[in-house]
Amino acid sequence: MPRGNAPIGDDYDDPWKALGGWFLGPRAENGEVFMSIFKDIFDEHVRLRKSFFPADPEYLTEEVMLSKPYLSEVEDMRDCLMKMQEDMAGNTPFFSPRYQAHMLWDSTMPSLLGYMTAMLFNQNNVDSAASPVTTQYEQEVGQQLCDMLGYNIDPRSRQPLSWGHVTCGGSVANIEALWASRNLKFIPLSIKAALLNDDPLIGPLTFLSEDQVRIGLKTQLLVGNSESERRNSVALVECTTWQLLNVDVDEILDLEQTVCSRMRKLGKVDNIKLNGLIENEGVMNEGLFDFMRKHGLEHSPVYTCPANNHYSWPKAGTLLGLGCKGNIPINLDTNFRQNLAHLKEVLEKCLKEKKPVIAVVAVIGSTEESAVDPIKDMYALREVFKEKGLNFALLADGAWGGYFKTMLIGAPAEDVMMNTASGSFVPYCKLSPYVEEQYRNIQLADTITIDPHKSGFCPYPGGALCYRNNKMRYPIAFSHPVVLNGEGDPNLGVYGIEGSKPGAAPAGILMSHKVIGLSNFGYGRILGQCTTISKIFYALWLTVAKDDDPFVCVPLQNVPEGYNITSARKLIKETIAYKQLSEIFQNQEAKNFLTTCGPDTLINTFVVNFKGNTDIRKCNKLQDALSDAMNVFVGSNAGRVPLMLMESGLKAKAHGEGLSVFKEKLGLDQGDEDLNVMVNTCMNPWQSNESAFEISDSFRMVVLNAIGRIEDDFAIHKFVLCDQLLKNEIFIEYMTCNGIPEHHYQATVKVRMSNSYKEMVKKYRSICRQDGLPVVFETLAEKKTGTTRLNLHELLHRKDSEFRMKFSHDAAGNTVIFKVVDIPRYQRLDLSSSGTYPEKQKFFIYGDSTRTIMSHVMSKLPDFQYTAILSKRPDYLTQRMLELGVVAEMDADDGSILLELEEGKMKPTQEGRCYSVSFRGELNATICTKIDIQESVYFNKIENMSVKVGS
């Protein structure tokens, strides 16, 4: 339990509502609140500047501010910034519930406002003289994190005092942790070498007596004995090199002081000279190669990481001169956690070969598999190996998972079911018993990496590293604080890898901690709700594929004990899918299922495979296609991506047994091929269950499109003009046909053409109107890219896509070149037998400032295709929503004239008639309005059999 430095969140009767005050909101619901607070902050900043030595002259005079150069530059700045804001609109919308990919979401309002407040002062935390305020903030943040993680912050305690600081990210923190562990490893050898130095110019005899050196060398160390498998006290001078490489972390950190204390009994000791001599003998001064040669070390030191380690760990090895081979990967078990049996085997081999082990790394929340390593058992394993004579630092990489410890701080978090008609209630889903046990023991690690800019919801850069024993930072300091500036020196730049770093980062983190609190009433509340959503998405991925779909979707994590795939899906469909969260958590079985299923820490990993496919290469190709469809790339339109997920990969060599079992579940052949996977990170604490399962419908469409992209062959495609040719950019609709799979699409495309082609299309349109025919364009049989003919997806979605089409039934054989501008709709027909006709006919309404078009949405065959131009944009349909396109429902009475399947006949709407429709407007409001049909463009019945397009 934190002792006060880690703020405790406020407890409310309806705690889920508190989150509303912590974030700007997906729809910027707190926009006015944010601006009001920032205006007050900025006004105070202005007042401060004016009040600082108020008698000083004004530099920007009224004359300057009214001058042409001044006004011109200000206007130029405004224009440039507005252009930048326009560009920034093309960024990935991390704030949206539709974003479910990387470990990113909205930043908390206090962190943003704190960052912006400190940013105005541009403090540099490399030196307290350049950051007298934010240096203190960083120290406070370090204490808060140490306290929250379970490290000691009480100077009165007999436990080592901890210390933490802010870094630019987890990668730098991980590298620093290994750097400190490597330097720490060699300190006993350096101290012994310093005391045995016989150089009269620099040796200890120049400032120490022989008796002092003798008593210093007799300092006792607790070291292992491989023969007895028990540790014994041995004098420093008598310890072997191997024994000195395997001393306890805390004993190493106290060794110099212990030696000094013993020698001080016989006379004064010059600490500065002794420390300088020890540093001169150290690996930082000697360099790794010369240090090893000097001490007769035959094996380069190593460290272990789980095989799925973050790339910063092998990077750390190369930076520290250990090489990539210095990182020994530990196999994963079937839950993709570190396999302790293999770790033990590796450590036994290192002990046998006398190979120094610098550190063993535990990952607390891996970034692909969301797995939490068994740190409690890893600590116990180290205690066993200590007795055998092998010792090392235990490092925890909690860059992603560190903040989940807040879910265990405070009174047990158990939501009381409340009567709420709003449906906004989001329960707090607890950590699984296994994961909870690891977090209750995370403080056993010697260092913990934790990133406020990940599960702390703070802006970049905001990583951090916490040391269990604050002295562990000294071996990487270039100005030793005890020697030069005293223990209370506030300068932070002497530690770690970075030099200059923004004081704004810790300011933002501090504000977020203070406002929200590091307990289950604060950050734990956010992460508890996100945990609920992650389990809901696990249930979604497990059931997203219908029984007769051409694909399967398999989550990485196993179903909970006591269930198989069939029983788990049955439970989800009956008690979880599309249910309100409050209803789900009142069902004890559903609640227990969600608590024990899915990822350890918010990240769902899954694979979509073709049903019956055994070829991993084909499966990987499908993940690539899904990634292309569900990501925002440079130049792409985020408004056309209904759901954003991330693609990653599982390495065959690294993931071993776990990947073999997963391939088997997918029906894939075993082999040494790596497997591409999809990743869904759930950091939106407000996602309702209903809206999550609505996403499954969009996801199915994306998968069906991706399957078509891969499997479709070349075919001739036809499009009908649904535009009045008022501009060079026009809309065309794909002409759907059920004859062959390549024609099973509904697509709306906006294309651009040159003026000359526009005039050609106008003439052709006039001819067609005289004959009462629609204007139809047809792709060319000879269209190729290199040697590969294009299917429909490749034709429309290529970057800078431009293609030539001919006028259908044109004896002259005229062609026109179109360039794709936008694709408001592109979806493969859903041929699942579970499909049903909607109670009300659905239409896709789209357009821009000059036209509004309506096209029927096909749901189940037989059906019909119908497109019409409306006389105007419907009331209450905004210009932005028109450009994106909306699905509207036509009232039953009006819809009945469109589809009469029972009688086997269909007929289109009537031009000039008014129809009632409803659609979801802004903020999900239900809008009921009228539409007027100006011109029917195209009508065609789509049977369950081959029909002639355009008949």
Side-chain angles (χ1 to χ4, degrees):
M1 183 73 166
R3 301 175 179 83
N5 276 59
I8 300 297
D10 297 313
D11 187 12
Y12 301 100
D13 292 335
D14 45 3
W16 60 91
K17 293 181 179 177
L19 276 70
W22 297 340
F23 293 93
L24 182 57
R27 307 288 301 179
E29 295 90 337
N30 279 325
E32 291 185 7
V33 172
F34 189 97
M35 284 305 300
S36 173
I37 296 174
F38 183 70
K39 183 179 183 304
D40 290 344
I41 291 168
F42 189 73
D43 286 346
E44 282 300 301
H45 183 84
V46 171
R47 185 198 61 77
L48 176 64
R49 291 196 179 205
K50 289 182 175 180
S51 64
F52 188 74
F53 286 91
D56 285 353
E58 188 176 49
Y59 292 92
L60 298 180
T61 63
E62 184 177 0
E63 177 187 1
V64 170
M65 298 174 75
L66 291 175
S67 68
K68 183 177 179 180
Y70 174 89
L71 295 173
S72 176
E73 289 304 307
V74 169
E75 190 61 30
D76 185 44
M77 176 172 61
R78 184 186 304 277
D79 290 345
C80 289
L81 285 169
M82 292 309 295
K83 176 60 171 64
M84 176 182 284
Q85 176 57 37
E86 182 181 327
D87 294 341
M88 296 297 283
N91 271 323
T92 303
F94 300 124
F95 52 81
S96 171
R98 293 179 181 273
Y99 186 82
Q100 300 281 342
H102 295 79
M103 295 167 289
L104 280 170
W105 199 63
D106 214 359
S107 297
T108 68
M109 282 203 295
S111 68
L112 289 170
L113 289 166
Y115 190 103
M116 293 163 69
T117 301
M119 182 179 63
L120 293 170
F121 293 88
N122 195 31
Q123 296 207 326
N124 181 0
N125 274 29
V126 70
D127 187 340
S128 59
S131 52
V133 175
T134 54
T135 287
Q136 295 179 64
Y137 285 173
E138 183 171 345
Q139 290 177 316
E140 189 171 352
V141 166
Q143 278 215 322
Q144 289 175 344
L145 291 174
C146 286
D147 192 14
M148 180 263 285
L149 292 167
Y151 284 163
N152 173 49
I153 63 166
D154 185 358
R156 298 167 298 179
S157 171
R158 299 182 65 180
Q159 296 295 319
L161 200 62
S162 60
W163 186 83
H165 72 128
V166 174
T167 68
C168 68
S171 292
V172 166
N174 285 340
I175 294 169
E176 180 183 325
L178 191 64
W179 182 24
S181 302
R182 186 203 69 172
N183 291 359
L184 171 78
K185 190 75 172 174
F186 299 125
I187 286 176
L189 290 174
S190 302
I191 292 176
K192 182 178 179 180
L195 293 178
L196 291 175
N197 198 315
D198 57 2
D199 187 334
L201 298 178
I202 60 173
L205 295 180
T206 59
F207 60 93
L208 295 174
S209 69
E210 290 184 12
D211 289 339
Q212 283 178 310
V213 172
R214 189 179 302 109
I215 195 173
L217 287 169
K218 287 191 175 292
T219 302
Q220 298 292 301
L221 293 173
L222 191 61
V223 293
N225 188 317
S226 58
E227 294 179 2
S228 65
E229 295 195 354
R230 292 185 58 186
R231 290 195 293 172
N232 306 102
S233 291
V234 180
L236 173 63
V237 70
E238 296 173 3
C239 285
T240 66
T241 297
W242 177 250
Q243 288 176 320
L244 291 178
L245 286 170
N246 291 283
V247 181
D248 267 355
V249 169
D250 291 343
E251 195 168 6
I252 294 173
L253 294 173
D254 289 336
L255 184 55
E256 180 179 341
Q257 185 175 345
T258 301
V259 169
C260 280
S261 297
R262 287 175 60 84
M263 294 192 298
R264 201 172 285 119
K265 294 177 181 179
L266 300 180
K268 183 179 178 181
V269 176
D270 189 327
N271 285 6
I272 295 178
K273 287 185 177 181
L274 179 60
N275 178 259
L277 185 60
I278 294 171
E279 287 189 350
N280 189 64
E281 292 285 348
V283 68
M284 288 263 277
N285 182 65
E286 291 273 358
L288 185 60
F289 178 78
D290 285 345
F291 185 91
M292 291 178 60
R293 183 175 59 180
K294 182 174 183 177
H295 292 278
L297 300 180
E298 297 181 0
H299 296 288
S300 181
V302 297
Y303 59 106
T304 74
C305 295
N308 59 340
N309 63 81
H310 187 261
Y311 61 80
S312 57
W313 290 107
K315 182 185 290 187
T318 60
L319 287 169
L320 295 173
L322 308 175
C324 287
K325 290 184 178 180
N327 177 14
I328 301 178
I330 303 301
N331 294 342
L332 307 178
D333 62 19
T334 55
N335 291 309
F336 296 92
R337 300 165 184 151
Q338 196 162 169
N339 187 316
L340 283 188
H342 185 233
L343 175 61
K344 181 179 179 181
E345 180 184 321
V346 167
L347 294 177
E348 290 281 11
K349 185 178 180 182
C350 290
L351 176 61
K352 181 180 179 181
E353 297 176 355
K354 292 290 192 289
K355 186 177 291 185
V357 178
I358 291 173
V360 167
V361 176
V363 175
I364 310 299
S366 56
T367 54
E368 271 85 22
E369 310 83 1
S370 196
V372 172
D373 281 340
I375 193 166
K376 179 183 178 182
D377 291 340
M378 293 172 72
Y379 176 84
L381 189 63
R382 180 176 69 171
E383 296 305 296
V384 170
F385 273 93
K386 278 183 182 180
E387 300 301 325
K388 295 181 178 183
L390 182 71
N391 211 337
F392 46 83
L394 181 59
L395 313 181
D397 182 356
W400 160 242
Y403 274 83
F404 287 82
K405 179 66 182 288
T406 59
M407 295 174 67
L408 305 179
I409 297 172
E414 188 72 32
D415 279 320
V416 178
M417 295 297 119
M418 302 187 66
N419 294 322
T420 172
S422 66
S424 61
F425 169 75
V426 181
Y428 183 114
C429 192
K430 298 188 296 184
L431 296 170
S432 71
Y434 163 81
V435 175
E436 180 176 329
E437 183 179 32
Q438 307 319 310
Y439 276 102
R440 291 201 182 280
N441 289 278
I442 194 173
Q443 72 278 0
L444 297 175
D446 294 302
T447 69
I448 303 173
T449 296
I450 178 171
D451 279 2
H453 65 210
K454 286 192 176 75
S455 54
F457 297 88
C458 290
Y460 291 99
L465 180 65
C466 296
Y467 293 94
R468 180 185 58 80
N469 188 327
N470 75 98
K471 295 177 183 177
M472 192 171 173
R473 74 195 195 269
Y474 293 166
I476 59 172
F478 273 81
S479 298
H480 201 297
V482 173
V483 175
L484 297 181
N485 306 312
E487 179 64 33
D489 175 57
N491 285 325
L492 300 169
V494 297
Y495 308 114
I497 295 168
E498 296 157 290
S500 296
K501 56 182 182 176
I509 298 166
L510 180 66
M511 288 304 103
S512 201
H513 287 182
K514 284 189 171 182
V515 172
I516 296 173
L518 294 170
S519 71
N520 56 18
F521 301 126
Y523 268 103
R525 179 75 219 179
I526 300 173
L527 295 170
Q529 292 187 194
C530 290
T531 299
T532 301
I533 306 306
S534 73
K535 304 309 181 77
I536 291 294
F537 268 93
Y538 174 84
L540 186 156
W541 303 131
L542 198 63
T543 56
V544 67
K546 298 181 187 293
D547 290 340
D548 59 350
D549 272 338
F551 68 91
V552 294
C553 181
V554 182
L556 185 71
Q557 291 84 9
N558 296 319
V559 296
E561 188 175 347
Y563 292 89
N564 56 33
I565 296 294
T566 302
S567 61
R569 285 176 176 164
K570 183 176 184 293
L571 176 71
I572 292 167
K573 291 175 181 178
E574 292 177 354
T575 66
I576 297 174
Y578 296 98
K579 300 288 194 298
Q580 286 198 358
L581 288 167
S582 55
E583 180 183 348
I584 295 171
F585 274 71
Q586 286 170 334
N587 182 312
Q588 193 61 45
E589 185 181 7
K591 179 180 177 181
N592 290 342
F593 179 87
L594 290 179
T595 300
T596 54
C597 78
D600 290 347
T601 55
L602 305 189
I603 302 174
N604 283 294
T605 303
F606 62 93
V607 168
V608 180
N609 190 21
F610 296 90
K611 187 172 285 183
N613 172 55
T614 61
D615 184 355
I616 193 170
R617 291 168 297 180
K618 186 176 180 180
C619 182
N620 284 342
K621 193 173 182 180
L622 181 54
Q623 312 317 302
D624 291 340
L626 293 174
S627 177
D628 282 349
M630 294 189 291
N631 271 286
V632 179
F633 302 102
V634 176
S636 62
N637 183 354
R640 296 294 180 213
V641 185
L643 174 66
M644 282 154 257
L645 301 178
M646 177 181 75
E647 183 184 20
S648 189
L650 303 182
K651 302 292 185 183
K653 185 176 180 180
H655 292 82
E657 180 188 4
L659 183 55
S660 294
V661 172
F662 189 48
K663 286 179 179 179
E664 184 178 345
K665 288 197 292 184
L666 284 161
L668 296 171
D669 292 333
Q670 295 294 331
D672 57 0
E673 293 94 349
D674 299 337
L675 179 66
N676 295 349
V677 297
M678 302 307 299
V679 176
N680 150 228
T681 307
C682 302
M683 294 185 69
N684 168 25
W686 290 307
Q687 185 93 50
S688 71
N689 188 46
E690 300 93 324
S691 67
F693 273 89
E694 284 177 6
I695 284 176
S696 70
D697 297 330
S698 297
F699 180 74
R700 280 188 69 249
M701 288 298 102
V702 172
V703 174
L704 293 175
N705 287 346
I707 290 174
R709 172 182 177 177
I710 294 169
E711 293 196 325
D712 283 356
D713 201 353
F714 169 80
I716 301 297
H717 300 287
K718 292 185 177 183
F719 294 82
V720 61
L721 175 69
C722 41
D723 204 289
Q724 294 173 321
L725 294 172
L726 300 177
K727 300 169 65 176
N728 287 65
E729 292 182 352
I730 61 172
F731 288 98
I732 57 177
E733 286 267 354
Y734 186 70
M735 297 175 69
T736 307
C737 168
N738 196 37
I740 60 174
E742 283 76 10
H743 290 166
H744 290 174
Y745 291 91
Q746 298 178 82
T748 301
V749 188
K750 189 176 188 178
V751 295
R752 182 184 299 123
M753 58 185 168
S754 66
N755 284 328
S756 60
Y757 286 127
K758 178 182 175 184
E759 293 304 314
M760 188 185 301
V761 174
K762 276 185 175 181
K763 290 179 182 179
Y764 183 63
R765 181 171 181 263
S766 298
I767 296 171
C768 290
R769 288 173 72 87
Q770 291 173 9
D771 296 334
L773 296 173
V775 176
V776 177
F777 304 102
E778 184 177 321
T779 58
L780 303 176
E782 302 303 319
K783 181 61 186 175
K784 297 181 180 181
T785 297
T787 60
T788 305
R789 293 186 171 192
L790 302 175
N791 61 30
L792 182 61
H793 183 278
E794 293 161 344
L795 184 77
L796 299 179
H797 290 84
R798 288 178 303 141
K799 188 176 181 181
D800 299 324
S801 180
E802 193 175 78
F803 55 94
R804 184 181 294 272
M805 303 182 78
K806 70 177 183 177
F807 297 110
S808 194
H809 309 300
D810 178 24
N814 290 311
T815 61
V816 59
I817 294 178
F818 290 134
K819 179 179 175 60
V820 175
V821 176
D822 191 17
I823 307 176
R825 178 172 61 154
Y826 182 88
Q827 61 187 62
R828 204 175 187 205
L829 292 180
D830 183 1
L831 301 180
S832 170
S833 61
S834 62
T836 59
Y837 293 116
E839 293 183 6
K840 298 181 180 182
Q841 289 299 313
K842 295 183 178 181
F843 292 86
F844 185 62
I845 299 177
Y846 63 94
D848 55 25
S849 60
T850 61
R851 60 223 135 170
T852 302
I853 304 165
M854 179 181 80
S855 179
H856 181 243
V857 176
M858 288 176 271
S859 55
K860 177 183 179 180
L861 297 180
D863 213 323
F864 66 93
Q865 184 173 5
Y866 173 71
T867 302
I869 298 174
L870 305 185
S871 60
K872 64 172 185 176
R873 171 161 50 96
D875 294 338
Y876 311 112
L877 179 61
T878 65
Q879 180 70 36
R880 175 57 179 159
M881 293 197 71
L882 178 68
E883 292 171 353
L884 289 173
V886 298
V887 175
E889 292 183 333
M890 185 171 285
D891 283 356
D893 290 342
D894 294 332
S896 64
I897 72 163
L898 290 165
L899 182 58
E900 300 172 359
L901 281 173
E902 296 80 3
E903 301 178 15
K905 59 184 180 181
M906 304 179 191
K907 54 186 177 182
T909 56
Q910 300 170 15
E911 294 178 14
R913 183 171 168 179
C914 186
Y915 297 92
S916 298
V917 297
S918 61
F919 59 88
R920 284 188 186 180
E922 291 192 339
L923 299 179
N924 207 37
T926 299
I927 304 297
C928 298
T929 188
K930 301 285 186 179
I931 60 169
D932 296 305
I933 307 295
Q934 177 177 322
E935 177 185 346
S936 292
V937 174
Y938 179 72
F939 177 81
N940 184 41
K941 184 177 179 180
I942 311 294
E943 298 282 7
N944 267 326
M945 60 189 74
S946 177
V947 296
K948 185 178 180 181
V949 177
S951 60

